Amino acid sequence: MSTPSATTPPVTGLKSPGPGLITLDPVHTALLDALDALLGGLAARLAAPEVTGPPLLAADGLARLDYFRNFPHLGVAAGRFAPDAHDLLAAGQAPGDRTLEPTGYLLPSATCYGLLLSLEGSDVGEDGLRLSAAGRCFRNETHYDGLRRLWGFHMREVVYLGTKEGALEHLERGGVFIQETAALLGLDLTRATADDPFYDKGGSRARLMALDPVKHEYSAPDGTAIASVNRHRNFFGERLDIRAGSHGPAYSACVAFGLERWIHAMLQSHGGPEEALDRVRAATATAADITAADVTSG
């Protein structure tokens, strides 16, 4: 994707189409792409191949993962107009409050759900499996706030499935990468436990999480959480019959980055988008030198 230059004509008149929706101009788009490429370095470091997740998720599949017990307010359902509205719409009438029929599908609220559901009934082997994907995610929220809280946003995730030890190593290396990358970008992040279980809040797993937290968030100075490390234990392995060879139900973990929130943090720390983009490009060059040095020394 091309990036803006000194000769790129400015784009004016780009307005927010509605609450929680935003259109990024060329410079902000270049910043989004550059951040995704830099944060995608975790996938390269962990040898996690790039995949593309599904654009919709089956509601019954999510129900088996306690999604609606935990996040009944977040789901954005996909509907279709009922047949009795087709003629009226074709005649030019506005949709208004025309009846919608449920499809049984939802838009993704996180990238990892589509990947995990796609692995149902599989065996990731003794050595486990890593995957990386970026996708557009959607969440109903009580309110929206610029780039900090959007109805639709981009999320990059690096997912691991395999052994308990492998999942812990995945998160440890992910946490180190987050802090290293933030330092290169001039961002001072704080790490804190987050209350965001992947399972029924009232169950024994939730009580266990209170004693042994499974999610930690990394927040910018203004409190915006821009990344997280998430340990699922073997919850998804059991629910989706995903096995890790002789180890039984797979343990899983993911490292997640909210790209628009990283843009927000960069703008807060470095001023305008051009300055932020210059900082990301410099960090990318430094990260490439570090990787090359590691390869040479190895």
Side-chain angles (χ1 to χ4, degrees):
M1 186 175 295
S2 61
T3 57
S5 67
T7 59
T8 301
V11 177
T12 59
L14 296 177
K15 300 178 181 179
S16 170
L21 306 174
I22 196 165
T23 301
L24 298 179
D25 64 22
V27 179
H28 286 84
T29 298
L31 183 54
L32 179 92
D33 292 340
L35 281 167
D36 187 34
L38 177 61
L39 297 171
L42 176 61
R45 183 178 295 187
L46 297 178
E50 185 78 4
V51 298
T52 302
L56 296 171
L57 305 176
D60 60 354
L62 291 173
R64 286 187 285 117
L65 303 179
D66 290 346
Y67 177 84
F68 300 104
R69 289 177 182 239
N70 290 298
F71 315 113
H73 58 295
L74 289 184
V76 180
R80 61 166 63 95
F81 287 108
D84 60 9
H86 293 173
D87 290 341
L88 297 174
L89 295 172
Q93 292 194 18
D97 57 357
R98 302 294 176 195
T99 302
L100 289 175
E101 293 182 338
T103 62
Y105 288 85
L106 279 77
L107 299 176
S109 62
T111 302
C112 65
Y113 281 118
L115 305 185
L116 293 164
L117 287 167
S118 298
L119 289 168
E120 183 172 9
S122 64
D123 191 331
V124 298
E126 302 288 327
D127 296 329
L129 173 70
R130 285 187 172 92
L131 298 172
S132 179
R136 186 70 75 95
C137 298
F138 303 85
R139 295 178 183 177
N140 283 316
E141 300 279 9
T142 57
H143 69 282
Y144 299 104
D145 181 11
L147 292 167
R148 299 180 63 189
R149 191 177 295 272
L150 290 163
W151 198 359
F153 57 93
H154 294 82
M155 182 184 293
R156 160 70 62 183
E157 291 198 46
V158 183
V159 179
Y160 168 85
L161 296 102
T163 65
K164 178 179 181 180
E165 295 73 20
L168 293 174
E169 179 194 15
H170 184 79
L171 296 184
E172 180 179 358
R173 296 178 68 182
V176 169
F177 176 86
I178 291 171
Q179 295 287 26
E180 287 180 354
T181 304
L184 291 176
L185 292 172
L187 299 177
D188 184 17
L189 304 185
T190 57
R191 172 176 165 135
T193 300
D195 180 14
D196 186 14
F198 281 87
Y199 36 75
D200 183 2
K201 292 182 177 70
S204 59
R205 292 177 183 271
R207 291 192 292 273
L208 176 61
M209 194 194 79
L211 301 174
D212 182 19
V214 297
K215 178 175 182 176
H216 290 86
E217 291 180 333
Y218 295 80
S219 297
D222 69 350
T224 302
I226 65 175
S228 65
V229 292
N230 307 270
R231 179 162 55 97
H232 313 144
R233 298 195 176 93
N234 59 356
F235 175 75
F236 291 118
E238 290 180 343
R239 290 292 177 93
L240 297 175
D241 186 29
I242 303 173
R243 302 171 301 284
S246 62
H247 299 284
Y251 283 72
S252 61
C254 72
V255 183
F257 307 93
L259 297 183
E260 281 85 355
R261 289 187 171 196
W262 279 80
I263 293 177
H264 167 81
M266 290 297 293
L267 296 177
Q268 290 289 306
S269 295
H270 301 297
E274 293 86 357
E275 293 82 0
L277 182 56
D278 288 342
R279 186 64 185 249
V280 176
R281 287 170 172 166
T284 300
T286 301
D289 291 340
I290 294 173
T291 300
D294 288 342
V295 172
T296 302
S297 63

